[in-house]
Amino acid sequence: MKIMNRPPSILLIEDDAGIVAALKKQLQTEGYQVALATRGDEGLILAREHPCDVVLTDLRLPGLTGLELIEQLHAAKPKLPIIMMTAFGTTETAIEATKLGAYDYLLKPFDMGELLDLVAKAVASSRLMSEPLEMGATQSAQSAIIGDSRAMQAIYKEIGRVAATSVTVLIRGETGTGKELVARAIYQHSRRADQPFIAVNCAAIPETLLESELFGHERGAFTGAHARRVGRFEQANHGTIFLDEIGDLSLSTQVKLLRVLQEKYIQRVGGNERVPVDVRILTATHRDLESAIREKQFREDLFYRLSGVTITLPPLSQRPEDIPDLVRYFLRRSAAELDQDSPSIQPQAIAFLQNQAWPGNVRELENVVRQGLLLARGYSISLEHVQQASARSHKPVVGADQTIAGYFSDLLARAARGEAEGVHARMFEDMERELYTRAIHLARGNQAKAARWLGVTRTTMREKLTRFGLRPPGEKPGQPG
Ligand SMILES: Nc1ncnc2c1ncn2[C@@H]1O[C@H](COP(=O)(O)OP(=O)(O)OP(=O)(O)O)[C@@H](O)[C@H]1O
Ligand SMILES: [Mg+2]
């Protein structure tokens, strides 16, 4: 069974032929499908009638102005991200636009990289909201929570129980156990499913910017705050906000969040206005919050507010019976990404995978399966393929409790015992994998950004991600750009 990956599509609404030509070319090079409207009213009709992932629109348009367009489009399709392009000096309008429901805005003249980053983010967010997520056994879903073990069935029941309520849910579990998937499932089965779902990774945003990201800021609130900014809470109004890695919040942000939970309004950084917000809050963490509370790193009152209901995901090692289904699901998905038919996998290979410890849980299994598929080059996947893939799988090269010196002595000691060869090449490979893994993780999958940080081209970035099994799901290899 093959899963189709539809290329992401952008509706571009712009009347300036020069800008249209430039944007269209860039977007197509990046692998997007582009539909075009040169009038506001025409854009509105197109957006209503043809599904697209993101709208990119000018502010000044014939037929219907950008603001009218955003208002009407948002009313018709509240989950469709709209990015507005506006000339410098009209930031007030840009703020107005965000209030009316625009996802974000760009000030002209903008840098093409900046535009592409924003479009990629909006597409990801759009897919998160609209790609249906099935639970349990599935043969065809693009996106699913797989696993029929008792432990997972208990999780599905809990999701069903909390989804329809507005209760705050804290999702816990080791890294890679599927916390983000569960958050999406709760949202999709909730009464707010037709409203936005906004995910914020609290660990990925520097502490100094996080409050402004969440609550927005007034002009001049701090150096660099040239214009007012509407925060994610305001954007998520009537919808759901997912605060991921909540255990990483600073104490001062914790106080502000607690106030939002208690009083149901936000205050922008540097402002006094109380903006009422109606937002359902879902949070997740892999941290041990109880010990963070004991160490006074996490507020107990906030913890109780957030954990209206707690859902704790079991580590993969506690449900090995789910592994065969997971393996087949990841094979189908990875094969679809590579435009291949799903290959078969030998029973010994599955048995081997069932016997691993999986400290990185389902994410690690997914990477190993993808690597195994690449190693098999279209043939049936054998025990050797998965063994080799598993040996390469990401274990932090230098863990929190280890030093570089420790890593070198381990590696050399293994070489001395005859258990490792080619130590020099291996060290470079390990370091490189670690660097790319961390960079792409920190950039939340944004390849352009990660490539910029590392000072490598996007092509190199793509090659390395494929090589290390870090290519995000849903992305087709070999796309030009
Ligand atoms: N039960 C599952 N069925 C299918 N895919 C899963 C399942 N659990 C996890 N995954 C996949 O594994 C990867 C990691 O899942 P997710 O991001 O939800 O984990 P997480 O618990 O949020 O991890 P972290 O703490 O590292 O952020 C994703 O690609 C996700 O699609
Ligand atoms: Mg997560």
Side-chain angles (χ1 to χ4, degrees), residues 144-146 175-181 245 326 330 362-363 366:
I145 308 184
I146 302 291
T175 179
T177 46
K179 298 185 289 296
E180 194 174 329
L181 279 184
E245 313 290 1
L326 281 164
F330 290 136
V362 184
R363 181 183 293 112
E366 184 176 3

Side-chain angles (χ1 to χ4, degrees), residues 199-241:
V200 181
N201 183 341
C202 302
I205 300 169
E207 194 194 319
T208 46
L209 297 181
L210 185 59
E211 282 183 23
S212 143
E213 173 85 14
L214 292 174
F215 310 121
H217 62 244
E218 296 294 339
R219 182 193 175 118
F222 47 84
T223 338
H226 298 306
R228 183 200 272 175
R229 189 196 149 105
V230 174
R232 297 292 171 202
F233 265 93
E234 261 179 274
Q235 281 194 321
N237 205 7
H238 306 304
T240 305
I241 197 164

Side-chain angles (χ1 to χ4, degrees), residues 122-433:
V123 167
S125 156
S126 171
R127 296 222 152 168
L128 223 58
M129 287 186 242
S130 57
E131 208 167 77
L133 191 63
E134 288 178 21
M135 286 185 269
T138 174
Q139 283 305 301
S140 59
Q142 171 99 19
S143 214
I145 308 184
I146 302 291
D148 276 334
S149 58
R150 266 165 162 261
M152 286 310 289
Q153 293 199 17
I155 298 285
Y156 304 146
K157 263 192 214 147
E158 289 184 71
I159 292 174
R161 243 174 346 115
V162 300
T165 69
S166 272
V167 71
T168 309
V169 185
L170 172 64
I171 306 161
R172 308 184 68 170
E174 290 177 9
T175 179
T177 46
K179 298 185 289 296
E180 194 174 329
L181 279 184
V182 169
R184 271 178 61 198
I186 295 175
Y187 158 72
Q188 288 196 357
H189 291 87
S190 77
R191 280 192 230 117
R192 293 170 182 249
D194 56 349
Q195 295 292 324
F197 173 79
I198 307 250
V200 181
N201 183 341
C202 302
I205 300 169
E207 194 194 319
T208 46
L209 297 181
L210 185 59
E211 282 183 23
S212 143
E213 173 85 14
L214 292 174
F215 310 121
H217 62 244
E218 296 294 339
R219 182 193 175 118
F222 47 84
T223 338
H226 298 306
R228 183 200 272 175
R229 189 196 149 105
V230 174
R232 297 292 171 202
F233 265 93
E234 261 179 274
Q235 281 194 321
N237 205 7
H238 306 304
T240 305
I241 197 164
F242 172 45
L243 303 175
D244 202 356
E245 313 290 1
I246 191 82
D248 293 44
L249 276 193
S250 72
L251 283 165
S252 96
T253 313
Q254 289 177 32
V255 176
K256 304 232 160 105
L257 179 60
L258 182 63
R259 205 166 61 203
V260 178
L261 279 153
Q262 287 169 336
E263 303 178 6
K264 304 204 180 335
Y265 68 81
I266 56 118
Q267 276 179 306
R268 302 191 190 98
V269 177
N272 297 317
E273 192 191 338
R274 297 171 166 218
V275 185
V277 286
D278 160 30
V279 176
R280 185 196 194 167
I281 302 179
L282 305 176
T283 61
T285 184
H286 64 275
R287 289 197 190 278
D288 176 1
L289 289 183
E290 285 78 3
S291 66
I293 290 169
R294 278 195 301 277
E295 287 158 20
K296 304 252 179 291
Q297 294 304 307
F298 203 86
R299 294 183 64 108
E300 193 166 14
D301 45 6
L302 177 62
F303 174 72
Y304 285 116
R305 281 274 174 176
L306 292 177
S307 50
V309 168
T310 302
I311 296 183
T312 306
L313 285 166
L316 185 57
S317 57
Q318 284 178 17
R319 45 186 169 109
E321 65 270 38
D322 285 341
I323 290 183
D325 280 346
L326 281 164
V327 168
R328 282 186 281 266
Y329 169 72
F330 290 136
L331 270 181
R332 278 202 305 275
R333 276 212 334 197
S334 300
E337 282 167 39
L338 296 164
D339 258 334
Q340 294 179 0
D341 286 323
S342 314
S344 61
I345 177 160
Q346 293 173 4
Q348 304 92 306
I350 294 194
F352 171 84
L353 295 172
Q354 273 187 296
N355 281 315
Q356 302 301 299
W358 303 115
N361 293 295
V362 184
R363 181 183 293 112
E364 189 184 359
L365 175 66
E366 184 176 3
N367 287 340
V368 168
V369 168
R370 193 181 294 140
Q371 279 287 328
L373 178 77
L374 289 170
L375 290 169
R377 296 179 197 288
Y379 294 97
S380 178
I381 297 165
S382 69
L383 176 62
E384 288 72 42
H385 293 138
V386 294
Q387 278 173 334
Q388 210 181 330
S390 157
R392 282 195 197 173
S393 115
H394 176 64
K395 303 176 185 70
V397 172
V398 181
D401 50 351
Q402 206 193 6
T403 59
I404 288 267
Y407 161 81
F408 285 150
S409 10
D410 281 358
L411 194 56
L412 289 168
R414 274 179 16 229
R417 288 196 302 268
E419 293 165 13
E421 286 174 7
V423 163
H424 188 261
R426 184 130 159 201
M427 182 271 292
F428 277 112
E429 165 122 2
D430 279 350
M431 294 294 160
E432 205 176 24
R433 187 191 313 113

